Amino acid sequence: MLRIDTSAVPAAKLEALLPQTLEAHNKLQNKSGAGASFTDWVTLPEDYDKAEYRRLLEAAERVREQSKVLVVVGIGGSYLGPRAVNEYLTGDPSLEILFAGCNLSGDALQKLTNRIGNRDFTVNVISKSGGTTEPAVAFRYFRALAEAKYGKDGAKSRIIATTDKSRGILKSLSDAEGYETFVIPDGVGGRYSVLTPVGLLPIAAAGINTNALIAGAQAMMESCKTAKGLENAALAYAAARNVLYNGGKKIEVLASFDPDFVSMGEWWKQLYGESEGKDGKGLFPAAVSYTADLHSMGQYMQQGERTLFETFIRTDTPKNGITVETDPANTDGLNFLAGKTIDEINDAAYQGTKKAHTDGGVPCLTVETGVKGAEALGQLIYFFEYACGVSGYLLGVNPFDQPGVEAYKTNMFQLLGKPGV
Ligand code: PA5
């Protein structure tokens, strides 16, 4: 089971914050806090629609049978989760998953098209509102591409929409065209939606074990609900973040030593940034990938402004890894590493980094996830979601809205002459 080490934060301070932490926890459990109508993700690992899930697995199988590429069209919470899980767990390479609609770059769209080439593809367009500009523009493009290649009728079985159950242009368009649709539940916002069809369909299509992912989330859901006080890992993390924030640490850096974790870092940044960054408050979430970033951000982490703390993600070292061989000539002087796996060296890098950063004045938290796999990842996802809800309530914000995201859209639409804006 996932564990957290918060020993960098004085225990007395965490204890002093416990009443407020429990109050925030109760708000989530009782649905009595700000934005409560968007907290259905709290019980989702148990409450998900089982019939729809079975249909989703069938659709994923169909995608695998009929295509070599799945183009996932979405942005923000409607793409970061599936991307992060697929990259972290490395799906079956016989289906390539490409992501579109997460930018407005014509060049990127052209490169994706070239990459698909002559291969058969399916499109999964994901948008809760159904009207977000970036995915809408990309979907218009890929719909046309699919219809040109497979004909209007043929394209129908190659376009799947994940959207609201009844509202929005994407839903009405899909119904009119006869595309299969999956539902993003009303009470689950984008950044909490990875365990809905938003994430589950592309993840299942990638051949990743979604049952194990859900089982992990379920176990963590139980733990978040029942573990007492600071033994509750999510409460301990939320409280530690709050103590550090109020002590002048305004930036949290999520650090992993696994290069597969990079997109998980992007998912985590959105989760915390969009949930907490409002009303002039909120930790700024940043993510680094070590050891690569020790050679770019390491200097700042060690000696830059002391307004940050670090949260390390640790997974158990795989037992069978590549080993450094003995070289009789030892011309590169590396024989002191002979017999060690690369992962053991990586572990030493982690221990050394944590000590150096701690000595350099950076409080370091550590999240131990256990053995890398779908179940442990399900735990980690739910842990971060739950801690984020508690953390947002501790901060005194509504962690489930994102009013600030609209501002750029209004300006952009005015510039583009959208009617009525
Ligand atoms: O977390 C969120 O709510 C946002 O990041 C949305 O997911 C993002 O803006 C995309 O919205 P939609 O799914 O409506 O296209």
Side-chain angles (χ1 to χ4, degrees):
M1 195 60 162
L2 177 148
R3 285 173 310 174
I4 184 159
D5 174 1
T6 57
S7 55
V9 182
K13 292 199 171 176
L14 295 177
E15 286 295 342
L17 194 64
L18 191 56
Q20 292 96 305
T21 310
L22 290 175
E23 197 185 316
H25 166 59
N26 289 335
K27 280 183 187 167
L28 265 188
Q29 289 293 328
N30 306 334
K31 287 187 170 291
S32 56
S37 58
F38 284 101
T39 56
D40 286 358
W41 55 269
V42 172
T43 49
L44 188 69
E46 209 165 64
D47 288 352
Y48 64 96
D49 182 333
K50 314 290 182 303
E52 183 175 65
Y53 178 61
R54 281 192 293 276
R55 185 165 63 84
L56 178 153
L57 293 180
E58 284 164 19
E61 201 44 50
R62 226 172 29 251
V63 171
R64 293 169 60 75
E65 279 163 16
Q66 72 183 10
S67 294
K68 292 288 174 210
V69 181
L70 174 63
V71 183
V72 176
V73 180
I75 196 165
S78 289
Y79 106 101
L80 284 161
R83 178 171 209 159
V85 174
N86 283 340
E87 287 182 15
Y88 184 59
L89 295 179
T90 316
D92 177 352
S94 65
L95 180 80
E96 186 174 21
I97 315 256
L98 299 177
F99 293 90
C102 44
N103 54 58
L104 284 168
S105 160
D107 202 26
L109 208 52
Q110 187 57 58
K111 281 184 183 160
L112 276 183
T113 314
N114 297 347
R115 185 149 179 168
I116 296 169
N118 293 326
R119 292 182 294 170
D120 283 319
F121 65 94
T122 296
V123 179
N124 179 201
V125 54
I126 308 173
S127 176
K128 184 165 185 180
S129 61
T132 308
T133 311
E134 291 89 339
V137 168
F139 181 49
R140 183 181 273 209
Y141 175 83
F142 280 108
R143 222 176 111 205
L145 214 63
E147 287 178 0
K149 180 164 175 147
Y150 302 106
K152 207 163 166 57
D153 265 355
K156 278 185 191 168
S157 65
R158 292 179 174 273
I159 295 176
I160 304 171
T162 305
T163 187
D164 189 83
K165 67 175 184 311
S166 54
R167 284 181 301 244
I169 291 176
L170 181 58
K171 176 63 181 161
S172 47
L173 182 156
S174 301
D175 287 348
E177 296 288 341
Y179 304 148
E180 180 163 26
T181 59
F182 290 94
V183 175
I184 309 175
D186 278 346
V188 182
R191 56 194 177 275
Y192 295 84
S193 70
V194 58
L195 298 173
T196 72
V198 168
L200 294 176
L201 177 56
I203 292 166
I208 291 167
N209 186 343
T210 46
N211 290 342
L213 195 71
I214 294 168
Q218 215 164 29
M220 185 50 65
M221 180 187 89
E222 217 32 57
S223 170
C224 287
K225 188 175 166 184
T226 56
K228 299 280 175 246
L230 295 169
E231 280 167 27
N232 186 319
L235 300 193
Y237 178 49
R241 298 176 84 247
N242 193 269
V243 168
L244 290 165
Y245 177 69
N246 288 323
K249 305 296 182 192
K250 303 296 183 194
I251 300 165
E252 179 178 12
V253 180
L254 189 75
S256 167
F257 282 73
D258 180 349
D260 291 343
F261 197 81
V262 169
S263 286
M264 278 301 297
E266 294 302 306
W267 172 82
W268 172 87
K269 271 161 53 181
Q270 191 219 0
L271 179 63
Y272 280 82
E274 213 167 82
S275 297
E276 293 192 318
K278 51 195 74 159
D279 305 338
K281 303 186 213 176
L283 276 158
F284 184 84
V288 290
S289 180
Y290 293 154
T291 60
D293 286 341
L294 288 172
H295 299 262
S296 63
M297 295 305 290
Q299 171 60 36
Y300 194 102
M301 295 304 295
Q302 193 64 43
Q303 294 181 329
E305 197 163 357
R306 302 298 72 181
T307 49
L308 47 83
F309 69 94
E310 203 164 15
T311 300
F312 288 100
I313 300 295
R314 297 296 297 150
T315 42
D316 286 354
T317 307
K319 287 198 172 46
N320 299 307
I322 297 175
T323 303
V324 178
E325 299 292 330
T326 305
D327 177 356
N330 196 26
T331 40
D332 55 10
L334 276 185
N335 272 359
F336 74 102
L337 294 176
K340 294 196 189 311
T341 65
I342 305 291
D343 293 308
E344 283 168 345
I345 302 168
N346 201 21
D347 197 51
Y350 156 66
Q351 306 285 353
T353 304
K354 186 171 179 181
K355 180 170 177 351
H357 291 181
T358 303
D359 293 347
V362 178
C364 294
L365 312 177
T366 303
V367 177
E368 303 268 357
T369 68
V371 179
K372 184 176 178 179
E375 193 156 347
L377 186 59
Q379 285 185 24
L380 183 67
I381 286 170
Y382 190 91
F383 160 80
F384 274 140
E385 290 180 348
Y386 199 84
C388 187
V390 174
S391 194
Y393 283 155
L394 270 176
L395 195 64
V397 299
N398 175 357
F400 308 112
D401 66 1
Q402 54 284 329
V405 180
E406 294 308 310
Y408 94 92
K409 294 184 192 170
T410 312
N411 295 341
M412 178 178 77
F413 290 146
Q414 275 169 359
L415 288 166
L416 292 168
K418 183 176 179 179
V421 180

